[in-house]
Every structure is written in C-alpha cells, then in structure tokens.
Amino acid sequence: MRPLQLLLKRADSFRFFNAPPSLRSYSSVNATEVAERVSRVLAEKSSANLSYDDLAASLGVTNAYAAQILLGQAKLTPTTAQKLKIAIPSISETDLESMTNDFPMRSFDEDILKEPNVYRTYEAITHNGEAIKAIINEQCGDGIMSAIDFYLDVGTTTGKHGEKRVVITFNGKFLPFVEQTADDNGAPSPRD
C-alpha cells in the first residue's frame, strides 16, 4: 500500500475505535483530513531532507516525539510550532494551525501489528512483560509506569561483534497504586 492509503486506512480506525458505521458520524475527528495532513507534512519533512533525529534536535524533543507530532499522535505546542516552521519552512500555516489547535486521536489501527518492526517490538514487550513488571514492582513498589508522563527515544549502538543494534528507551514516571480508603476519597459517594 502507498503511504496515503495506509494513512487513510489508519484514519478510518480513528472513528470511535472501529465502532459500527451508524456511530461513526459522531466522531469529532475528521480522519481523512488528518491522514491527508500527515501525508503532506511527511512529504515536507522528506523534501527538507531531515531525519527524525535532525528534527528532534531542532525542536528540542525526543526523536520519537518528533515522529508522533508529524504522525498526528501528539499535540504541537505553539512554541514548538515556531521551531517546526524554521526546521521545515515549506510546511503550511494551515497544517501548523491544525497540529497546534486540534487534539490528537491517540489510537492505532490493529493492522499496524502486522508490520514487522511494530510486531517485533510488541513481541519483545509482551515476551518480557512479566519480568519488566517484576523488576518495576521490586524497585518501585506496587504501581505502573505512566505512558502520559513519558519519554521515548529510539537510537542505535554497535554490538561487540560490530553489528548495528537498536536501543529503545522508555522513561515513564512511576505511578503507585493507592489504597482506596473512604476518608481519602474527595468525591461524594454515589450512594448518598
């Protein structure tokens, strides 16, 4: 599939997470417009001959976050929008406004799991998930790693045999589970 076709297919999944067609008209996201914007912005990045590392350095964000911004998975702040316009001067004001003013739909098309890079990353996380959980619990206590107060960086290193190796760093705030005591609950009881 061509990139725009893949984006339009992904865009269709934005509509209430594959809800029945009768409910899709209620979505606040125009998935086709988002997919077309992403296609334009990626073409402008390519024309500017920028890597995601180059873009990240210009914007002051991680390379993964720079990719998320262009792919419509993260909201562009006004300050970063100014830096993006300098890094990619050909990006349209309309696209910058949309990236700044519209809220992203942070979802994914399940077909992305068929893509080998994504599938292998998913497999690595799920295969090692229990060990990751055990180590987080041992080192931090009962809780989880935030995926909101979170940084992701992707890079490479050279292995001891000279091979290129991929390094993915997840840096998320630890969120402890709390004991749900009635005295600490500030919300009124639904039983009152």
Side-chain angles (χ1 to χ4, degrees):
M1 267 188 196
R2 297 175 57 211
L4 181 57
Q5 291 171 318
L6 284 171
L7 288 168
L8 289 171
K9 182 172 180 1
R10 182 176 139 211
D12 189 51
S13 73
F14 284 151
R15 300 175 193 263
F16 277 104
F17 310 102
N18 293 320
S22 62
L23 295 178
R24 290 187 183 177
S25 63
Y26 295 104
S27 177
S28 63
V29 175
N30 185 324
T32 302
E33 286 181 11
V34 172
E36 290 171 348
R37 184 195 73 216
V38 169
S39 183
R40 286 190 303 274
V41 170
L42 291 177
E44 297 300 338
K45 173 193 168 284
S46 181
S47 294
N49 199 31
L50 292 172
S51 69
Y52 283 115
D53 284 340
D54 296 333
L55 192 56
S58 296
L59 302 180
V61 299
T62 66
N63 59 4
Y65 198 77
Q68 287 179 309
I69 289 170
L70 298 191
L71 294 170
Q73 292 286 303
K75 191 164 174 29
L76 183 63
T77 65
T79 302
T80 305
Q82 294 171 2
K83 295 175 186 177
L84 183 58
K85 183 64 176 176
I86 292 168
I88 306 176
S90 58
I91 195 168
S92 77
E93 290 298 324
T94 302
D95 286 340
L96 279 176
E97 286 176 22
S98 175
M99 295 166 72
T100 305
N101 296 329
D102 300 342
F103 292 97
M105 183 64 79
R106 292 175 176 95
S107 65
F108 68 95
D109 180 348
E110 290 181 11
D111 282 348
I112 192 72
L113 293 175
K114 296 176 185 174
E115 198 288 321
N117 267 319
V118 175
Y119 175 77
R120 289 295 178 214
T121 305
Y122 177 77
E123 180 183 44
I125 295 295
T126 56
H127 178 75
N128 293 286
E130 191 170 351
I132 293 167
K133 178 199 178 320
I135 293 167
I136 289 171
N137 291 158
E138 181 179 84
Q139 294 182 0
C140 300
D142 186 23
I144 61 170
M145 177 182 69
S146 174
I148 294 178
D149 189 342
F150 179 84
Y151 299 87
L152 172 65
D153 196 42
V154 180
T156 61
T157 190
T158 303
K160 69 179 187 177
H161 301 293
E163 76 279 11
K164 186 175 272 192
R165 301 184 69 82
V166 177
V167 178
I168 301 173
T169 303
F170 288 7
N171 175 356
K173 178 181 180 180
F174 178 72
L175 302 172
F177 286 109
V178 299
E179 181 179 19
Q180 297 182 23
T181 60
D183 289 342
D184 289 339
N185 184 0
S189 171
R191 293 174 299 283
D192 293 340

